[in-house]
Amino acid sequence: MTTQLLSASNPSDIALAAQLLRAGELVAIPTETVYGLAANALDAAAVAKIFAAKGRPQDNPLIVHVADAEQALPLVKAFPFTAQRLAEAFWPGPLTVILQRAEHIPDIVSAGLSTLALRVPAHPAAQALLRAAGITLAAPSANRSGSPSPTLASHALDDLNGKIAAVLDGGPCTVGVESTVLDLTSETPLLLRPGGIPAGQLEAVLGQKVEMSPAVTSALPMEGAAPSPGMKYRHYAPRAALTLVHGPLQDFIGYAEHENPDGLMAFDSDAIPEGWPVLRYGDGPEEQAKQLFARLREIDALGWQTAFVRCPSKEGLGLAVYNRLLRAAAFREVKV
Ligand code: TXA
Ligand code: MG
């Protein structure tokens, strides 16, 4: 199949993308977090193509994207007060909520679970597309399963060219890490994946503590049920072996001089001695979130086999950056 490259700034391309989706095809679409690989959520055959194109494990459920909270209502058994408060505060935006799913949602969308993940994306092209198509869209990140999420249309094309009908180019993603995933199916809201909305902001709106799944900062066993199945797979990973290094810059450099990795991933403000191949991923959580996945792809493009990464702050949006890096490093962390 030839993958068409469409432009979100061209209204006839939005119309074409909408038409392809209505016809059961796959289209990679821009969102404010990362590019998503979209299919009609109520068409089981179309959703099955997502798993095939990505090489995604069958037990990893998908997020359903809707134009607004109202469109979410018929997809779930109930839309509790907590969900209403969060939707008012953060939709459209990088928050996904897990609720009990309605009977008519195909099993394949949520991999057989009784729940459903829902999100209203803020990107104007995603909004325009949802409204033009008039359907809801199941969409995981538009990367090959396991590799870094795409934050540019070219990333999605690199991974999925020839396997999907089209890529809709809406420019670079402004958030850069995926949505926060919050499970609202039990008494206490449970953070399954840190993301674009920091947990502190959720707690401020809810006036209630949010519990953090152990999966956020530690490895899950590959066997058995996980609260968020996506968390048990090796993820976001370049081919290179990464090591996440905690500690002051001088000790980071000393450790690198001793171990001699192929390259370093550091902050913009880090003074790195001449001679080290270095990729920089910004200063502070917002910049780091925006740049992280593109840098991880560059590590492979440069052919590095090993890289040391300066550990980001875990505050606010930083927790999402740290969580992705930890998985990209297959949980290899050292303190210097
Ligand atoms: O920002 C995002 O969330 C992007 C854009 C495209 O919207 N999407 C995204 O999808 O990151 P994906 O499939 O790469 O990650 C979805 C995560 C996975 O960890 C999955 O296991 C979890 O959400 N998830 C989906 N449905 C779930 C459910 N019913 N219960 C628990 N976890 C669920
Ligand atoms: Mg993903």
Side-chain angles (χ1 to χ4, degrees), residues 51 53-57 60 140-150 159-160 178 230 232-240 242 293 296-297 300 324 327-330:
F51 288 87
K54 280 185 60 103
R56 183 177 178 100
N60 195 1
S141 49
N143 51 290
R144 257 182 298 107
S145 191
S147 72
S149 295
D159 277 17
L160 300 169
E178 299 87 344
K232 71 183 177 182
Y233 300 106
R234 184 165 186 247
H235 243 153
Y236 315 114
R239 285 185 296 277
L242 306 188
F293 286 132
L296 293 180
R297 283 175 181 261
D300 279 342
R324 306 306 187 273
R327 281 166 175 74

Side-chain angles (χ1 to χ4, degrees), residues 139-232:
S141 49
N143 51 290
R144 257 182 298 107
S145 191
S147 72
S149 295
T151 51
L152 289 172
S154 63
H155 297 159
L157 201 59
D158 286 346
D159 277 17
L160 300 169
N161 196 7
K163 295 182 172 158
I164 63 177
V167 175
L168 182 64
D169 188 347
C173 299
T174 52
V175 177
V177 290
E178 299 87 344
S179 60
T180 301
V181 179
L182 188 70
D183 186 339
L184 293 176
T185 60
S186 37
E187 197 79 15
T188 309
L190 177 66
L191 184 77
L192 296 180
R193 179 177 73 179
I197 306 283
Q201 290 188 28
L202 303 178
E203 290 177 335
V205 165
L206 291 173
Q208 183 185 7
K209 195 101 192 102
V210 165
E211 205 180 310
M212 210 197 292
S213 163
V216 170
T217 53
S218 60
L220 283 178
M222 291 299 289
E223 310 290 298
S228 187
M231 287 303 205
K232 71 183 177 182

Side-chain angles (χ1 to χ4, degrees), residues 22 40-42 64-76 79 87 91 99 102 104-105 116 118-121 126-127 129-137:
R22 292 180 60 90
N40 182 352
L42 298 185
V64 173
H65 298 69
V66 292
D68 50 38
E70 204 172 310
Q71 225 190 9
L73 300 181
L75 306 180
V76 291
F79 201 77
W91 280 357
L99 297 170
H104 70 287
I105 312 294
L116 185 67
L118 284 168
R119 165 163 126 77
V120 176
Q127 279 285 332
L129 185 62
L130 281 162
R131 289 178 197 282
I135 54 178
T136 60
L137 297 173

